């Protein structure tokens, strides 16, 4: 249960985003949006403050039987200076049977997206039961954020470990239950799913608070890292035989697909754009396997929140350009005349040329192969979809 | 199921966006922009080719809808005047010949800067206005009404002599499903009665039409919640009488007929032509219903309605009397008209279903749930109802190529389609 301490607009925007996720996923088991409540702040808070509203809302939820409550602040409560942490702590003392925490995510001066995410995880980790002992064959995954993807993407990480006979113990924090968090220590292997600033912060937190080692570079994307992953799993389980067998089977299927797709893709010239990260080796490897010629790799202008944590191993093999802007793309489209652009974000020039807008595939090889198939299709499609062709 | 509805802040933005040459400007942080600019595009799509290039600059960043002042921590500490003075000319000059209305986010409303003063200082008073009141957590419909009225007052059209046989259509929000199709249908009905529709403030009205609206002889109302104060203002300031139907909005054949009759009675126009069109539609529905094999008849099945009372009343009555469906729950959302709410309650008592009033559909036996698209989809996905039927916003995943309004003849046919298809 989450209580948004703010006006109804904020809660509505949060709830609607969750609605979208849930409708896309068509998952009948959870309905996070209906577990979101709001203090419905109005004008009176600028005179009286909002703490009375919040206290009433929290007590309503406690009285209706809620036992796990997060209070998330919106910018209004930050501006009027409500002391939410003290109130939440006081209510927590009055109701020791209830787990209640405040996440200061108002975004005025503190609490950007990543900070709110990490702060929520930090509070959740206080639930971990220290009496639980590690068992063989269980894995914790940290930092999955497949917000707008479908259920099958979510299962990729779990399937990856199932191939090797391992089971996911806890997804921190992605559709996790309180029980999963409590039993966090059951896993004997903990890994971050994507190497980014937020995941790294979670990893550090898990290591510092729980003294659990976190693998930072284990989860693979694409065939080569999958093969390294299989090797590591063999080492971890102490039985490399089966792991080698699994890897060989996956490699075999991958090679078969590549030889089919290369019929259309081989020799085609592409520009790659990655606005947010240089961690795209999976893509460069895929394009190489498809026999495509990468003319240039444009890396977007850096944002503070997208701090680079991993650089490409192929820096010296391709023409990388940092701070790649729209004007650069316009010029490159004219001068290099690529067959296609492969980009992680749309923009106005890409609407006029043959392009694949990709998102980073899930763990393993399946998502990478799906991109290969799209590139294969793209080569026979017209440059611009008919619906865009209007006067 | 607990649902968090759209509120007055979103209503203000959408009401401004309802004007064909009006543009809502969000004076607030970027976090408020994405969702609201999406809903505004969804309600009233205006995208044109090359928009991204045209609106690439500051305060737009490639998106023409809801340019935003992106208030940040510096502004929270030092006030937002500096940002307003910089943004007003840039934003207003991006829409030559059109007008902008600045709407402040709930957080920025607490800073208390007077936007109207800044607009005046920047010399843009004739091209920009502001909703200075904070509408945070206010109900959606009255805030929509308030904002349309704010624009009308700001333009303050000069009084004109009333033209006989002319009307304005009030109370049709752009959040209504396919409002433009409903509007065209109403315009057609009224014109076939010999009445001229001058404007529809709140539903695709231009500033020129708004200025001309004051010469109308009557205002006719679709949903009272969306125009109560605007209608009062027209009456008090310009002497324009308002025609309302005691059955509520024209949802379903019965309420549509009453709406036409009420207008005919008040204006002296002849209702025969629209009545004949409605009868044609009823005949078509009769032929289809009497010669179709359907797996499950809606007869005796339970339905729930969650909407404003001006829609809940006629819809509930119609489903009951036209299809013999039984009401399980009827929830009038915040900001509903109290008179219609009372009538709905009286109707439910009259058919011995008083418990349906205000009942949460989540505990009621519900085959069909008529609610905003979001709620309808989630309720269907989670098995709360057999079929969720989208009768309004929010409906983020809605993509309609065929028109599906809920009002008028089109609306009745849409509702029948939804009830009988894949039920």
């Amino acid at each position: 249960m989450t209580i948004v301490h703010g006006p109804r607009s904020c809660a509505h925007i949060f709830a609607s985003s969750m609605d979208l996720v849930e409708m896309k996923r068509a998952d009948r088991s959870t309905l996070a949006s209906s577990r979101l409540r709001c203090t419905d702040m109005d004008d009176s808070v600028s005179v009286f403050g909002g703490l009375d509203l919040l206290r009433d809302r929290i007590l309503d939820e406690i009285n209706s039987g809620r036992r796990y409550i997060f209070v998330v602040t919106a910018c209004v409560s930050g501006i009027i200076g409500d002391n939410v942490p003290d109130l939440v702590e006081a209510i927590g003392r009055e109701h020791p049977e209830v787990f209640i925490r405040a996440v200061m995510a108002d975004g005025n001066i503190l609490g950007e997206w990543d900070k709110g995410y990490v702060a929520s995880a930090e509070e959740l980790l206080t639930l971990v039961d220290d009496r639980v002992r590690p068992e063989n064959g269980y894995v914790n995954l940290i930092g999955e954020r497949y917000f707008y993807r479908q259920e099958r993407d979510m299962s990729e990480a779990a399937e990856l470990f199932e191939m090797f006979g391992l089971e996911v113990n806890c997804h921190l924090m992605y559709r996790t239950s309180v029980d999963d968090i409590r039993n966090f220590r059951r896993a004997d292997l903990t890994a971050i799913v994507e190497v980014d600033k937020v995941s790294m912060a979670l990893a550090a937190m898990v290591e510092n608070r729980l003294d659990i080692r976190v693998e930072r570079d284990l989860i693979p994307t694409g065939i080569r890292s999958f093969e390294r992953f299989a090797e590591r799993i063999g080492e971890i389980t102490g039985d490399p035989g089966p792991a080698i067998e699994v890897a060989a089977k996956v490699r075999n299927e991958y090679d078969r697909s590549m030889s089919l797709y290369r019929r259309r893709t081989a020799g085609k010239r592409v520009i790659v754009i990655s606005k947010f990260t240089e961690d795209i080796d999976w893509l460069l490897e895929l394009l190489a396997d498809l026999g495509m010629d990468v003319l240039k790799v444009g890396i977007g202008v850096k944002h503070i929140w997208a701090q680079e944590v991993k650089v490409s191993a192929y820096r010296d093999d391709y023409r990388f350009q940092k701070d790649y802007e729209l004007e650069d793309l316009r010029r490159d489209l004219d001068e290099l005349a690529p067959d296609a652009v492969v980009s992680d974000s749309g923009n106005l020039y890409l609407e006029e040329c043959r392009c694949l807008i990709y998102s980073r595939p899930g763990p393993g090889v399946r998502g990478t192969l799906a991109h290969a198939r799209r590139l294969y299709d793209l080569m026979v499609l017209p440059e611009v979809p008919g619906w865009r062709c209007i006067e | 199921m607990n649902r968090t509805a759209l509120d007055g802040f979103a209503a203000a933005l959408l009401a401004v966006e309802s004007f064909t040459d009006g543009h809502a400007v969000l004076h607030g942080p970027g976090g408020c922009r994405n969702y609201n600019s999406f809903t505004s595009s969804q309600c009233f799509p205006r995208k044109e080719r090359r928009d991204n290039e045209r609106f690439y600059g500051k305060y737009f960043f490639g998106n023409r809808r809801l340019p935003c002042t992106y208030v940040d921590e510096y502004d929270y500490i030092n006030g937002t005047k500096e940002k307003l003075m910089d943004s007003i000319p840039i934003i207003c000059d991006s829409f030559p010949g059109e007008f902008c209305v600045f709407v402040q986010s709930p957080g920025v409303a607490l800073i208390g800067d007077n936007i109207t003063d800044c607009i005046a200082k920047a010399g843009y008073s004739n091209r920009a206005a502001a909703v200075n009141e904070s509408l945070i957590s206010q109900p959606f419909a009255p805030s929509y009404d308030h904002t349309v009225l704010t624009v009308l007052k700001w333009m303050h059209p000069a009084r004109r002599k009333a033209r006989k046989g002319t009307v304005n259509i009030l109370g049709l929000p752009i959040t209504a499903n396919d409002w433009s199709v409903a509007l065209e249908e109403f315009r057609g009905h009224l014109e076939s009665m010999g009445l001229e529709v001058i404007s529809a403030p709140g539903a695709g009205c231009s500033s020129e039409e708004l200025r001309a609206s004051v010469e109308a002889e009557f205002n006719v109302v679709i949903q009272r919640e969306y125009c109560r104060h605007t209608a009062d203002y027209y009456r008090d300031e310009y002497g324009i009488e308002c025609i309302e139907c005691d059955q509520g909005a024209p949802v379903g054949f019965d309420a549509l007929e009453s709406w036409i009759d009420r207008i005919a009675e008040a204006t002296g126009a002849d209702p025969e032509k629209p009545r004949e069109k409605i009868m044609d539609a009823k005949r078509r529905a009769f032929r289809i219903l009497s010669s179709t094999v359907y797996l499950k008849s809606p007869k005796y099945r339970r339905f729930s309605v969650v909407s404003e009372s001006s829609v809940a009343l006629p819809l509930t009555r119609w489903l009951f009397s036209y299809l013999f469906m039984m009401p399980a729950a009827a929830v009038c959302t915040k900001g509903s008209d109290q008179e219609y709410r009372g009538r709905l309650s009286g109707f439910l008592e009259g058919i011995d279903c008083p418990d349906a009033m205000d009942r949460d559909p989540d505990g009621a036996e519900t085959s069909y749930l008529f609610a905003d698209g979001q709620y309808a989809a989630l309720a269907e996905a989670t098995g709360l109802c057999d079929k969720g039927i989208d009768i309004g916003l929010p409906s983020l995943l809605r993509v309609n190529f065929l028109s599906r309004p809920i009002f008028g003849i089109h609306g009745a046919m849409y509702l029948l389609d939804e009830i009988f298809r894949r039920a």
Side-chain angles (χ1 to χ4, degrees):
Chain A
M1 154 64 54
T2 305
I3 296 174
V4 176
H5 185 40
R8 206 143 38 92
S9 284
C10 306
H12 175 75
I13 292 174
F14 297 160
S16 296
S17 310
M18 288 194 280
D19 283 347
L20 260 185
V21 173
E22 284 167 344
M23 283 190 282
K24 282 195 83 169
R25 203 173 285 140
D27 177 356
R28 287 161 190 250
S29 63
T30 61
L31 258 191
S33 59
S34 65
R35 295 200 307 268
L36 189 114
R37 285 299 181 101
C38 176
T39 49
D40 283 1
M41 279 183 163
D42 60 19
D43 269 353
S44 66
V45 297
S46 55
V47 183
F48 303 109
L51 289 178
D52 288 343
L53 284 175
L54 179 59
R55 184 197 319 274
D56 291 349
R57 171 56 74 206
I58 294 172
L59 293 178
D60 278 353
E61 295 305 324
I62 291 176
N63 291 335
S64 72
R66 297 284 183 188
R67 288 296 170 265
Y68 298 94
I69 299 173
F70 277 85
V71 176
V72 175
T73 56
C75 67
V76 173
S77 57
I79 293 166
I80 61 175
D82 281 347
N83 189 341
V84 175
D86 279 4
L87 174 70
V88 164
E89 208 185 312
I91 294 177
R93 276 197 304 270
E94 286 162 27
H95 295 271
E97 76 284 8
V98 177
F99 174 90
I100 178 164
R101 295 289 188 275
V103 178
M104 303 303 284
D106 41 83
N108 298 323
I109 294 171
L110 294 169
E112 290 297 323
W113 192 95
D114 53 345
K115 294 204 177 79
Y117 187 85
V118 173
S120 303
E122 191 167 10
E123 297 300 344
L124 269 179
L125 286 180
T126 61
L127 281 167
V128 173
D129 186 344
D130 290 335
R131 292 164 304 180
V132 175
R133 294 282 147 239
E135 293 174 33
N136 281 340
Y138 289 101
V139 184
N140 290 327
L141 296 176
I142 294 183
E144 289 161 284
R145 293 188 295 283
Y146 308 140
F147 293 121
Y148 296 110
R149 298 199 196 167
Q150 293 175 359
E151 179 59 24
R152 64 171 180 274
D153 299 312
M154 165 72 185
S155 63
E156 279 178 349
E159 276 172 22
L160 182 69
F161 286 97
E162 277 165 21
M163 279 191 232
F164 299 96
L166 304 173
E167 193 182 317
V168 177
N169 176 58
C170 175
H171 297 269
L172 180 77
M173 322 183 280
Y174 189 76
R175 301 172 69 224
T176 312
S177 69
V178 167
D179 279 346
D180 287 349
I181 301 278
R182 281 196 198 292
N183 289 324
F184 194 80
R185 289 187 182 279
R186 186 167 72 148
D188 62 348
L189 178 63
T190 297
I192 57 171
V193 173
E194 282 183 36
V195 184
D196 57 29
K197 193 180 161 195
V198 172
S199 303
M200 294 298 248
L202 292 192
M205 194 194 303
V206 168
E207 289 186 334
N208 293 336
R209 295 194 159 230
L210 305 180
D211 198 21
I212 290 176
R213 183 163 171 258
V214 179
E215 296 283 346
R216 284 168 170 74
D217 201 14
L218 179 71
I219 309 291
T221 303
I223 188 70
R224 286 170 188 68
S225 61
F226 177 81
E227 286 168 334
R228 288 195 294 274
F229 170 76
E231 222 170 277
R232 282 290 313 278
I233 293 292
E235 287 164 22
I236 290 166
T237 58
D239 184 8
I244 291 170
E245 223 169 86
V246 170
K249 196 173 151 226
V250 172
R251 165 58 87 171
N252 206 0
E253 284 169 20
Y254 180 84
D255 285 347
R256 231 183 12 243
S257 302
M258 287 302 120
S259 62
L260 167 68
Y261 298 153
R262 265 199 302 270
R263 286 198 302 120
R264 289 184 196 162
T265 56
K268 292 291 194 297
R269 305 160 72 247
V270 293
I271 291 176
V272 173
I273 301 173
S274 177
K275 200 168 170 186
F276 300 110
T277 175
E278 204 179 304
D279 183 13
I280 51 164
D281 288 353
W282 63 271
L283 177 61
L284 298 173
E285 288 163 0
L286 176 70
L287 296 171
D289 291 344
L290 288 167
M292 300 179 97
D293 185 7
V294 177
L295 303 173
K296 194 170 202 181
V297 183
I299 303 290
V301 181
K302 279 284 157 301
H303 295 270
I304 304 165
W305 47 267
Q307 178 192 316
E308 193 61 76
V309 287
K310 196 174 174 186
V311 295
S312 174
Y314 301 106
R315 259 201 177 170
D316 300 331
D317 303 331
Y318 293 101
R319 236 175 106 194
F320 272 80
Q321 183 184 332
K322 283 195 163 182
D323 297 336
Y324 195 72
E325 301 249 30
L326 266 186
E327 290 315 304
D328 298 307
L329 172 63
R330 174 140 74 175
R331 191 197 54 236
D332 285 346
L333 287 174
D334 284 345
E335 289 178 7
L336 303 176
D339 293 304
V341 177
V342 180
S343 171
D344 63 350
S345 50
N347 67 51
L348 58 114
Y349 299 122
L350 294 180
E351 290 175 5
E352 309 289 331
C353 69
R354 181 178 287 116
C355 98
L356 169 73
I357 308 283
Y358 70 89
S359 54
R360 188 186 173 86
V365 180
R366 195 172 60 182
T368 317
L369 277 174
H371 282 325
R373 165 92 188 241
R374 288 180 196 115
L375 282 162
Y376 172 69
D377 290 342
L378 186 68
M379 292 306 135
V380 292
L381 289 167
E383 275 193 7
V384 182
W387 67 268
R388 282 200 186 279
C389 304
I390 52 159
E391 283 309 310
Chain B
M1 190 196 291
N2 163 52
R3 303 287 306 140
T4 309
L6 286 159
D7 75 351
F9 169 51
L13 294 167
L14 290 166
V16 175
E17 289 283 294
S18 79
F19 289 90
T20 53
D21 50 355
H23 303 278
V25 179
L26 174 60
H27 183 39
C32 297
R33 188 185 184 199
N34 277 6
Y35 178 82
N36 287 304
S37 85
F38 174 76
T39 45
S40 114
S41 312
Q42 194 188 26
C43 291
F44 196 170
R46 298 181 188 178
K47 177 131 177 157
E48 285 169 24
R49 262 193 118 184
R50 300 282 169 201
D51 261 4
N52 295 7
E53 208 162 357
R54 186 176 152 205
F55 294 99
Y56 193 67
K58 203 173 171 186
Y59 303 116
F60 289 94
F61 301 112
N63 180 2
R64 74 178 277 163
R65 303 307 283 265
L66 302 195
C68 176
T69 54
Y70 290 91
V71 168
D72 56 22
E73 66 243 44
Y74 177 86
D75 308 308
Y76 281 121
I77 296 164
N78 301 293
T80 64
K81 281 187 184 150
E82 201 180 308
K83 194 153 266 178
L84 281 167
M85 295 307 288
D86 183 58
S87 62
I88 290 166
I90 294 174
I91 295 172
C92 294
D93 290 347
S94 300
F95 299 113
E98 303 185 327
F99 70 95
C100 293
V101 179
F102 285 69
V103 177
Q104 47 194 343
S105 77
V108 169
L110 296 175
I111 301 177
D113 291 328
N114 189 319
I115 309 175
T116 308
D117 282 357
C118 291
I119 291 171
K121 263 190 210 148
Y124 281 79
S125 293
N126 58 339
R127 291 170 55 190
V131 179
N132 278 312
E133 302 81 4
S134 167
L135 300 168
I136 64 175
S137 292
Q138 297 300 309
F140 188 85
S143 300
Y144 194 96
D145 179 21
H146 173 84
T147 308
V148 171
L149 179 57
T150 301
V151 173
L152 178 62
K153 283 181 174 173
W154 171 67
M155 285 197 181
H156 197 70
R159 279 169 171 264
R160 299 186 194 182
K161 195 168 173 286
R163 276 202 294 129
K164 206 152 174 46
T166 56
V167 298
N168 299 311
I169 293 175
L170 299 186
L172 177 63
I174 59 167
T175 47
N177 299 12
D178 284 317
W179 59 271
S180 59
V181 177
L183 179 62
E184 276 319 296
E185 183 184 322
F186 292 140
R187 195 188 292 274
H189 291 323
L190 295 169
E191 283 173 2
S192 72
M193 293 163 74
L195 298 168
E196 181 194 339
V197 179
I198 295 177
S199 75
C205 178
S206 68
S207 44
E208 198 185 326
E209 288 169 335
L210 194 66
R211 275 188 281 273
S213 69
V214 299
E215 63 187 13
E217 191 181 4
F218 296 101
N219 284 324
V220 297
V221 170
I222 307 295
Q223 277 194 269
R224 187 190 284 167
E225 293 95 341
Y226 287 87
C227 64
R228 177 193 289 276
H229 294 104
T230 305
D232 287 350
Y233 184 79
Y234 270 115
R235 190 191 55 231
D236 298 343
E237 195 74 8
Y238 297 101
I240 301 174
E241 285 306 321
C242 180
I243 306 171
E244 295 182 275
C245 177
D246 59 8
Q247 305 280 315
V251 176
F253 294 132
D254 297 350
L256 177 61
E257 283 171 336
S258 300
W259 187 78
I260 295 286
D261 289 349
R262 177 75 192 88
I263 294 168
E265 185 192 2
T267 61
D270 182 358
E272 195 194 325
K273 284 184 179 162
R275 286 211 67 133
E276 189 49 39
K277 276 201 164 165
I278 299 167
M279 189 47 75
D280 282 348
K282 286 165 87 168
R283 286 190 197 106
R284 175 178 160 80
F286 167 82
R287 284 194 296 269
I288 294 170
L289 284 168
S290 57
S291 53
T292 304
V293 177
Y294 35 80
L295 291 174
K296 279 184 188 171
S297 163
K299 198 172 173 182
Y300 309 125
R301 291 177 79 193
R302 265 59 183 162
F303 69 92
S304 296
V305 177
V306 181
S307 74
E308 276 122 4
S309 59
S310 62
V311 167
L313 171 67
L315 182 58
T316 304
R317 285 172 111 144
W318 188 57
L319 296 174
F320 175 78
S321 62
Y322 190 75
L323 293 177
F324 280 15
M325 292 165 68
M326 297 301 294
V331 179
C332 296
T333 51
K334 282 183 187 167
S336 281
D337 181 84
Q338 290 306 309
E339 194 184 325
Y340 292 136
R341 192 184 184 290
R343 285 204 184 136
L344 177 59
S345 176
F347 171 73
L348 292 169
E349 271 177 36
I351 59 168
D352 201 21
C353 297
D355 295 345
M357 194 69 199
D358 294 329
R359 185 170 179 191
D360 185 348
D362 201 352
E365 178 196 339
T366 298
S367 292
Y368 301 90
L369 174 70
F370 297 83
D372 64 81
Q374 208 93 319
Y375 186 12
L378 284 171
E380 190 179 304
T382 52
L384 192 151
C385 62
D386 296 335
K387 176 131 189 177
I389 297 173
D390 176 348
I391 58 166
L393 227 65
S395 186
L396 291 181
L397 289 184
R398 179 201 298 164
V399 185
N400 284 342
F401 291 96
L402 289 173
S403 306
R404 293 173 167 87
I406 63 161
F407 298 122
I409 293 174
H410 280 94
M413 292 309 198
Y414 160 65
L415 294 168
L416 290 172
D417 254 13
E418 287 295 297
I419 291 165
F420 282 90
R421 281 165 47 198
R422 291 177 286 109

